Amino acid sequence: MTTHGAHCLILPYPSQGHINPMLQFSKRLQSKGVKITIATTKSFLKTMQELTTSVSIEAISDGYDDGGRDQAGSFITRFKEVGSDTLAQLIKKLANSGWPVNCIVYDPFLPWAVEVAKDFGLVSAAFFTQNCAVDNIYYHVHKGVLKLPPTQDDEEILIPGFLCPIESSDVPSFVISPEAARILDMLVNQFSNLDKVDWVLINSFYELEKELRDSIYLLSLLFLCLFYLEVNLLSVHMFLNVLSLIRGFFFS
């Protein structure tokens, strides 16, 4: 029997472009001895081909098990209500089966997953399926630094972390249309619960976004070190040791 050091529950947003990156991440974790369970919706499982993977798959509900979510104007609200309940039921089921969950890695499109994790005392991690540059744009929209859609006067847009301004045509195309407000709300709300998570993971690699990653990393490290210095000087050393362990875990 295979022994596992931890059991990680992966919660992707039920869309192929979101599930694929999290599936690859899950396989990587599994290769390191972590037990993986992917939870996705019953309605999505009906539309996808059988996964040729050893990763366990479990179903939760989005409130539209028999379809109709694309015509539902309140899909996100309904998913939060039903999804939170059925995710909690799944965590209890796995615990009763002898495989208690230690950690939830969730797609930030589903920020309510953090609350479920906290209710069970679980570690939580947000996994952004888009790269740093895109996430950086949406984050600054969320913080009110960047206004979308851009106006005719916005020939150049300054975004913190970017080495040079971008043009309005560089902004993701769908947000230029005012009727995209609902989608934009979901994208910027990805950051609504990040202050409650234990880890933030991004689907990228260093060489792809070196300048941006360096900028974000240095700002984050400075902030965290200053914060920990106020609490306990030893915490800085602990934090740096954790960073070292993460690099060894994923890049060894």
Side-chain angles (χ1 to χ4, degrees):
M1 179 179 176
T2 303
T3 58
H4 301 279
H7 184 187
C8 191
L9 182 61
I10 309 293
L11 182 65
Y13 183 78
S15 171
Q16 199 69 48
H18 288 253
I19 285 183
N20 284 342
M22 297 189 81
L23 177 59
Q24 298 308 313
F25 173 74
S26 298
K27 292 177 179 178
R28 179 65 172 165
L29 283 182
Q30 186 170 256
S31 73
K32 298 294 184 177
V34 179
K35 179 174 174 57
I36 298 295
T37 299
I38 296 179
T40 189
T41 62
K42 296 176 183 178
S43 57
F44 185 77
L45 284 173
K46 292 177 181 179
T47 66
M48 66 186 298
Q49 297 179 349
E50 185 176 352
L51 290 175
T52 56
T53 177
S54 58
V55 175
S56 299
I57 307 293
E58 292 283 351
I60 62 172
S61 178
D62 57 8
Y64 298 93
D65 296 349
D66 298 319
R69 56 166 275 189
D70 293 335
Q71 290 74 46
S74 58
F75 168 69
I76 295 300
T77 301
R78 179 66 173 162
F79 194 2
K80 177 181 179 180
E81 295 172 354
V82 180
S84 296
D85 183 53
T86 53
L87 180 61
Q89 292 176 28
L90 174 59
I91 293 171
K92 294 176 183 177
K93 170 188 168 183
L94 293 171
N96 292 334
S97 67
W99 293 108
V101 174
N102 307 106
C103 171
I104 293 180
V105 178
Y106 74 98
D107 189 311
F109 272 33
L110 308 172
W112 45 264
V114 180
E115 305 298 341
V116 178
K118 296 301 180 186
D119 287 344
F120 285 89
L122 304 177
V123 173
S124 61
F127 185 100
F128 286 84
T129 58
Q130 294 178 307
N131 62 28
C132 274
V134 174
D135 294 328
N136 192 41
I137 292 174
Y138 295 140
Y139 172 75
H140 286 100
V141 174
H142 171 71
K143 299 298 289 185
V145 175
L146 177 62
K147 303 295 183 181
L148 293 180
T151 67
Q152 294 180 346
D153 298 329
D154 293 326
E155 296 182 1
E156 290 186 339
I157 301 173
L158 295 173
I159 301 177
F162 282 36
L163 296 181
C164 58
I166 65 173
E167 297 180 0
S168 58
S169 58
D170 294 323
V171 174
S173 58
F174 75 90
V175 301
I176 295 176
S177 174
E179 59 266 21
R182 184 176 62 86
I183 301 175
L184 183 58
D185 284 345
M186 184 168 65
L187 286 164
V188 299
N189 282 336
Q190 294 180 93
F191 306 93
S192 60
N193 271 352
L194 285 190
D195 59 327
K196 300 179 181 179
V197 304
D198 299 286
W199 300 98
V200 176
L201 309 172
I202 298 176
N203 182 32
S204 185
F205 58 95
Y206 180 72
E207 288 77 8
L208 178 65
E209 305 178 280
K210 181 179 184 301
E211 294 82 5
L212 179 62
R213 292 280 294 276
D214 284 346
S215 174
I216 294 174
Y217 176 80
L218 290 173
L219 288 173
S220 300
L221 186 60
L222 176 61
F223 170 79
L224 286 169
C225 283
L226 289 174
F227 172 77
Y228 283 125
L229 275 171
E230 293 180 0
V231 180
N232 186 343
L233 183 60
L234 291 177
S235 297
V236 177
H237 301 291
M238 294 172 61
F239 174 69
L240 294 176
N241 287 336
V242 169
L243 287 179
S244 178
L245 288 172
I246 293 171
R247 290 195 184 97
F249 182 81
F250 285 105
F251 300 106
S252 60

